[in-house]
């Protein structure tokens, strides 16, 4: 079993990375593999709403979106981590995830996801809420912990001083591992995926 994580910061070894690394180390102790996918500092296009997404994913192949989708098909669970910028997730993770989910949302169905927000001081729960929205619309069970999934610090070294934040990260990993093992046991017992009703698609609310 494998958990694929996204570091939504351009800092490859910053606070977000340190939080994800804590989750990864704990997953490893639980016997689960992990990979941290770095968005890095290269430009990431925003979704232009062209509606031309295909089996291969997004029409633009000059950044990491389609590479990530290929990895996501093989993964069993996900963690999306972001630094807080002006009380919201980083622009780069939003541009990235909009295109990933708009083109390939079905890849994520029935796979658990956890959102993580890190900040020096404020805006973590607002950012956490935004990332959780990708899970809610994609039939993904969400993974919580013993506090909202957040770590405080200006950088990776400060993040380590946030003992409760680090504890929260480890608890995300334990809960993710437990879910993945339960789902695998269910599959072995022949439990089918839930039925999904589709067809109704109304573009207005009355
Ligand atoms: C453009 C920008 C906006 C930021 N806005 C906030 C903010 O609203 N609240 C906050 O606590 N920290 C804010 N920060 C600080 C970062 O969230 C914080 O340093 C975080 O630990 C960086 O994580 P990283 O090392 O993974 O990039 C901001 C940083 C930048 C660059």
């Amino acid at each position: 079993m494998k958990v694929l994580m996204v570091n939504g910061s351009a800092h490859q070894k910053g606070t977000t990375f340190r939080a994800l690394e804590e989750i990864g180390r704990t997953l490893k102790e639980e016997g689960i593999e992990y990979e941290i996918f770095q968005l890095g500092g290269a430009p990431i296009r925003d979704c232009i709403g062209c509606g031309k997404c295909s089996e291969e994913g997004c029409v633009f192949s000059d950044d990491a979106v389609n590479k990530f989708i290929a990895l996501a098909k093989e993964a069993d669970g996900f963690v999306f981590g972001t630094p807080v910028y002006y009380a919201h997730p980083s622009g780069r993770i939003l541009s990235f995830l909009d295109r990933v989910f708009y083109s390939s949302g079905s890849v994520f169905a029935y796979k658990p996801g956890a959102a993580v927000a890190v900040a020096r001081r404020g805006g973590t729960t607002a950012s956490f809420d935004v990332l959780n929205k990708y899970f809610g619309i994609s039939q993904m069970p969400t993974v919580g912990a013993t506090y909202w999934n957040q770590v405080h610090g200006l950088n990776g070294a400060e993040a380590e001083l946030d003992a409760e934040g680090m504890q929260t990260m480890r608890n995300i990993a334990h809960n993710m591992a437990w879910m993945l093992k339960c789902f695998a046991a269910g599959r072995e017992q022949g439990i089918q995926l839930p039925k999904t009703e589709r067809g109704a698609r109304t573009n207005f609310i009355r």
Side-chain angles (χ1 to χ4, degrees):
M1 282 183 278
K2 184 168 175 178
V3 172
L4 183 59
M5 308 199 216
V6 176
N7 177 4
S9 172
H11 297 145
Q12 304 227 350
K13 291 280 165 82
T15 319
T16 312
F17 176 81
R18 184 64 194 87
L20 297 181
E21 188 184 48
E22 193 71 11
I23 296 173
R25 284 179 190 166
T26 313
L27 285 170
K28 216 169 156 195
E29 285 166 21
E30 292 267 10
I32 290 171
E33 282 179 64
Y34 74 96
E35 177 178 346
I36 299 178
F37 190 92
Q38 299 276 9
L39 295 191
I44 296 175
R45 285 173 183 271
D46 202 359
C47 180
I48 59 165
C50 67
K52 293 184 181 143
C53 323
S54 68
E55 280 290 300
E56 284 77 45
C58 180
V59 289
F60 296 121
S61 50
D62 54 355
D63 58 26
V65 166
N66 289 339
K67 189 178 164 211
F68 178 78
I69 291 166
L71 292 174
K73 286 179 182 166
E74 307 302 320
D76 303 288
F78 299 91
V79 182
F80 300 152
T82 187
V84 171
Y85 285 178
Y86 291 94
H88 56 67
S90 71
R92 67 182 46 251
I93 199 166
L94 295 182
S95 294
F96 181 79
L97 291 178
D98 280 359
R99 285 172 49 218
V100 165
F101 277 81
Y102 204 68
S103 64
S104 305
S106 60
V107 165
F108 298 85
Y110 315 115
K111 298 179 181 179
V116 170
V118 308
R120 185 186 73 81
R121 195 163 181 82
T124 44
T125 55
S127 304
F128 175 67
D129 289 347
V130 174
L131 292 187
N132 275 315
K133 303 276 188 343
Y134 293 99
F135 306 143
I137 200 169
S138 310
Q139 295 186 292
M140 297 174 71
T142 57
V143 182
T146 38
Y147 200 84
W148 298 301
N149 301 346
Q150 58 184 259
V151 174
H152 285 98
L154 187 65
N155 51 44
E158 278 196 14
E160 287 188 17
L161 303 177
D162 179 3
E164 186 171 356
M166 288 290 126
Q167 173 181 267
T168 305
M169 297 303 107
R170 293 190 292 276
N171 285 334
I172 293 170
H174 291 307
N175 292 339
M176 170 77 79
W178 171 74
M179 270 196 203
L180 291 176
K181 290 170 189 174
C182 287
F183 290 175
R187 274 194 300 274
E188 276 166 30
Q189 290 298 311
I191 294 179
Q192 303 293 308
L193 291 173
K195 280 186 189 159
T196 299
E197 191 180 324
R198 296 196 193 278
R201 190 168 154 86
T202 47
N203 296 340
F204 51 82
I205 296 170
R206 287 204 175 136

